[in-house]
Amino acid sequence: MVIDNMLYNVGRYVSLLRSAVARPEKFSMYYKETMRQMDAIGVGSVFIVLLISVFIGMVTAVQFADQLGDSFVPSYYIGYIVRDITIIEMAPTITCLVLAGKVGSNLAAEIGGMRQKEHIDAMEIMGVNTAAYLIMPKIIAAVVVIPMLVAIAAFVSIVGGYLSTVVPGSLSHTEYVLGLRSFFVPRYVFMMFVKAAVFAFLLTSVSCYMGYYVKGGSIELGEASTSAVVVSNVLILVFDFLIALLLT
Amino acid sequence: MIRTEDIKKSFGENDVLKGISTEFYAGKPNLIIGSSGAGKTVLLKLLIGLFKPTSGKVYYDDTDLFSLDDDALREVRMKVGMLFQGNALFDSMTVGENIRFPMDMFTNKSLGEKEKRVDEVLEMVNMEGINDRFPSEVSGGMQKRVGIARAMVLEPKYLFCDEPNSGLDPKTSILIDELINDLTHHNKITTVINTHDMNSVMGIGENIVLLKDGNLVWQGNKNEVLESDEQVLQEFIFASPFLRRLREDALKQRHAHE
């Protein structure tokens, strides 16, 4: 039963995405909608991303500084560890998990609300390909702006690490910067952007799917919104592992 | 003209429509009536193509709606206007933007031309000057008119109205009926109205289809409604003693004139 249900949902999700990949009725309308979504997803999420990433950087640095304090590992390693943990894992994964909560629930509720108020039916009857018009601009916007947010998150996390170790005096400026410059592997930055793009696609497409097929009333809309966040988060973690396997 | 051929629709074990064959004529308001659960909304959604029938066909003139691929179906839908029960106006857009949306999506008109057309259709529904207001800032009756204006903006060949009078006071209901009736006759469009409102039946019912338990049980016009002794019709339309008395008085007056 559970497997039947899962296969049914996967089939319907793939079918929806196939419908969403279509020639736009009017390019300018799709462009306008994509820009609107970039603003909503990107600019609208900057503050929360800054807030979370600065604390993640600070916590990572403080924890490692504490653990390495009495060891023979050189203290500049703290900068190196903060940089790599941030780039490889914290910035893409934590940022996208947070965005799945903020953006994903919002998208599911927005599209689900349109379904319940018959806005989607109204567009269908006008001749609009609703799968394409309502979903594709959101996916494109997310795949473009979320990697940018992740890059900002990585930078701010590293700054957070600096603030929590160098400013209180547990590490010198030179040591932290030396750590940041040591053992740099450019491929990790590529991996960060791959993760960000894949997670962005997953969290928007899954959330749009949950909203697009919502039925019933406000309780079902709430459930769709919750499912959007839960399923997106699980998929982000699964794909995090898969990408790590493939790219390391 | 829209024609249905032995349309059946089931949801699981539940047979909602059990074989409807009928015609909806151009230039006339065609009404689908029936008690709750009779299958009116399902029939309307089948006519528009939002549902697919279990079996049977729907023809728009000579085009079989369900034999069309997605692109061809969208071509047909561009000739369709729809007024929804809840209006389905986009909350985040102004009245003007709501009406302009189909033109923005499907035409290459300049902004000036589109604004001019918006003003024309708003004038058509007697709602001039509310372009910049949001749907939430106008009354239910005004929202219905805006919904009609949006449905009419691309000059449709077919107009569908789902419960256009629901939630409206009797006076506004009559105004909406008159508006739909005028637009139908003036533009020679095929209008299909799904309604519970007996004022609409007696006021604009030129072709009335009565459904009961998923079957078409009677078809005729408003004059035949009054004259017919069909029990199923009388039970549905003249359900209250007050309406039965009105019918008897109307028939007496008519026979006295004759």
Side-chain angles (χ1 to χ4, degrees), chain A residues 25-26 29 117-119 121-129 133, chain B residues 48 74 77-78 80 84 88-89 91 101 104-108 150:
Chain A
E25 293 88 357
K26 191 94 177 278
M29 289 292 281
K117 289 179 179 175
E118 297 182 307
H119 293 175
D121 287 347
M123 285 187 185
E124 281 285 338
I125 288 163
M126 285 173 200
V128 177
N129 178 350
Y133 181 65
Chain B
I48 311 161
R74 275 188 209 107
R77 280 182 171 162
M78 284 169 66
V80 170
F84 284 84
L89 297 174
D91 315 307
F101 182 82
D104 285 340
M105 199 53 121
F106 296 111
T107 71
N108 291 316
R150 187 177 69 181

Side-chain angles (χ1 to χ4, degrees), chain A residues 45-199:
Chain A
S45 305
V46 167
F47 178 72
I48 185 85
V49 167
L50 290 179
L51 192 69
I52 285 163
S53 41
V54 76
F55 278 102
I56 285 173
M58 291 200 295
V59 170
T60 309
V62 168
Q63 296 279 6
F64 275 100
D66 180 54
Q67 289 186 16
L68 301 179
D70 297 328
S71 71
F72 293 108
V73 178
S75 52
Y76 75 87
Y77 263 55
I78 292 166
Y80 154 60
I81 290 168
V82 168
R83 184 201 68 206
D84 273 8
I85 277 192
T86 295
I87 290 174
I88 295 169
E89 191 59 30
M90 291 297 187
T93 310
I94 302 291
T95 303
C96 288
L97 288 174
V98 169
L99 290 179
K102 184 189 175 292
V103 176
S105 62
N106 187 280
L107 293 181
E110 180 186 322
I111 295 182
M114 291 183 77
R115 168 67 73 196
Q116 290 181 334
K117 289 179 179 175
E118 297 182 307
H119 293 175
I120 293 181
D121 287 347
M123 285 187 185
E124 281 285 338
I125 288 163
M126 285 173 200
V128 177
N129 178 350
T130 53
Y133 181 65
L134 295 176
I135 296 175
M136 202 37 74
K138 291 177 175 62
I139 292 178
I140 292 171
V143 170
V144 172
V145 298
I146 287 180
M148 294 181 192
L149 288 174
V150 166
I152 292 170
F155 175 76
V156 172
S157 273
I158 290 167
V159 172
Y162 181 93
L163 292 176
S164 65
T165 50
V166 177
V167 172
S170 52
L171 203 67
S172 72
H173 167 83
T174 313
E175 285 172 316
Y176 193 82
V177 172
L178 177 65
L180 290 182
R181 289 179 170 178
S182 303
F183 320 117
F184 180 65
V185 181
R187 187 166 47 87
Y188 292 162
V189 176
F190 170 72
M191 199 201 290
M192 176 184 82
F193 282 119
V194 170
K195 282 185 177 183
V198 171
F199 298 165

